[in-house]
Amino acid sequence: MTHTPPSDAYARRAIKPVICYPVDALAPAPLAGYQAAFNGASVIATETAAPRDAAAIRVPAGHMLRITSVNGPQVGDLNLFNANDLNERFYSGKTRALHGTHVSTGDRLWSSFPQLRPMATVINDTLDWYGIDDFGGSVHDVIGTRCDPYTGNLLNGTQYHHCCHSNLTRALADATGMSLRDAEPFVHDVLNVFMCTGFTRDTGQYFMKASPVRPGDHLDLFAEIDLLAVLSACPGGDCSAEHSSDTAACYPLQMDVIAPLDGALSQWRSPEQNGYDRSHGR
């Protein structure tokens, strides 16, 4: 049942919105310095997430993680952890509140409470040309959760084991030595790398469409703290039709750890943990 709108419905809809979390007070990321530090720098480690699988790699603070699409169009689901404390992990909701539904060059990936600090900074994005399309879609979202077997079972009665949630769980367990049962609670909402998504204007539903990613496109993340990065090559491939599939064309994703040029970041320091005193009013 739809209720009759009040006489001032138009005026209520016409009220201008207010940004919840203005970020003017945040110091901008020193992009020029970060970018210069890796101009011609060397790859020191590489891992590949195979199609419908995941891989993990450690990224020391002050180094860069480059995620590259290889062979064909492919999206990936990324989890980030403090390599020394898995309880500090990527907080997609706060990143979304601060920077918007999608991230690109200059945006930061924030960690969970109580630390709430930059974990990584996007310093280069070869898909920054895409912007926002006529459907409201954009690339690298922090609105989707990750494809998972529980929702698949809920909606379709399936037992599918190569969705991103399960891929991330296996890779995290392998990287840490934990059991699958112990590793799973640490898996969290992701950065959907290369994925093109938005919300429909009529129903407000989360949508996906074919990613514009091409072989060689990459996203570069500067590690603000020691990171454990876990990346799943989504079973939906470019997510043009479905996201939990054994039939979609899928391709690997490559992760490279790149060391900065000698002395280029000698004045740089990892960000401190959040300064809130945690008294919570008592």
Side-chain angles (χ1 to χ4, degrees):
M1 176 176 106
T2 301
H3 294 282
T4 302
S7 59
D8 62 348
Y10 175 81
R12 291 177 180 274
R13 293 192 186 102
I15 295 172
K16 292 183 178 180
V18 176
I19 299 299
C20 292
Y21 296 103
V23 294
D24 301 346
L26 294 178
L31 280 178
Y34 286 171
Q35 292 164 346
F38 297 97
N39 187 12
S42 302
V43 174
I44 61 169
T46 298
E47 291 287 347
T48 299
R52 297 183 178 85
D53 209 343
I57 198 166
R58 295 181 184 272
V59 189
H63 288 55
M64 186 177 81
L65 173 65
R66 171 168 289 175
I67 300 173
T68 305
S69 175
V70 291
N71 301 342
Q74 177 66 42
V75 308
D77 286 38
L78 178 67
N79 267 188
L80 292 177
F81 301 89
N82 178 336
N84 306 305
D85 178 8
L86 296 184
N87 290 300
E88 183 177 8
R89 63 197 85 168
F90 174 52
Y91 188 175
S92 67
K94 188 57 67 177
T95 300
R96 178 173 65 248
L98 291 171
H99 297 299
T101 56
H102 300 75
V103 297
S104 189
T105 307
D107 292 329
R108 291 183 142 152
L109 307 181
W110 295 81
S111 71
S112 52
F113 298 155
Q115 292 87 359
L116 191 61
R117 57 176 168 172
M119 301 186 79
T121 300
V122 182
I123 62 173
N124 189 34
D125 173 14
T126 63
L127 291 175
D128 59 6
W129 56 268
Y130 190 87
I132 300 176
D133 63 30
D134 291 342
F135 301 96
S138 193
V139 183
H140 311 309
D141 85 68
V142 285
I143 50 180
T145 55
R146 62 200 175 276
C147 55
D148 69 274
Y150 302 101
T151 305
N153 185 67
L154 176 71
L155 298 178
N156 305 309
T158 56
Q159 295 286 312
Y160 187 71
H161 307 303
H162 292 278
C163 51
C164 289
H165 177 87
S166 297
N167 296 346
L168 293 168
T169 298
R170 293 194 308 275
L172 180 61
D174 291 345
T176 60
M178 288 190 290
S179 67
L180 290 175
R181 186 174 294 273
D182 288 341
E184 185 178 14
F186 288 98
V187 173
H188 51 277
D189 287 352
V190 297
L191 169 61
N192 279 310
V193 180
F194 306 137
M195 193 171 182
C196 189
T197 60
F199 292 108
T200 59
R201 291 192 174 99
D202 53 351
T203 63
Q205 288 176 287
Y206 181 53
F207 72 76
M208 62 187 185
K209 56 181 292 190
S211 172
V213 67
R214 305 150 297 181
D217 276 324
H218 55 269
L219 185 72
D220 293 344
L221 304 177
F222 177 77
E224 301 280 359
I225 63 174
D226 291 336
L227 294 176
L228 173 62
V230 189
L231 178 69
S232 170
C234 182
D238 68 355
C239 287
S240 57
E242 53 186 340
H243 52 66
S244 295
S245 167
D246 279 331
T247 59
C250 290
Y251 303 93
L253 292 172
Q254 183 171 310
M255 292 187 289
D256 293 314
V257 176
I258 302 175
L261 300 172
D262 287 345
L265 294 170
S266 59
Q267 303 301 311
W268 172 84
R269 297 291 181 272
S270 283
E272 297 291 333
Q273 296 185 11
N274 192 273
Y276 176 61
D277 66 13
R278 302 184 68 183
S279 62
H280 303 292
R282 290 198 178 167

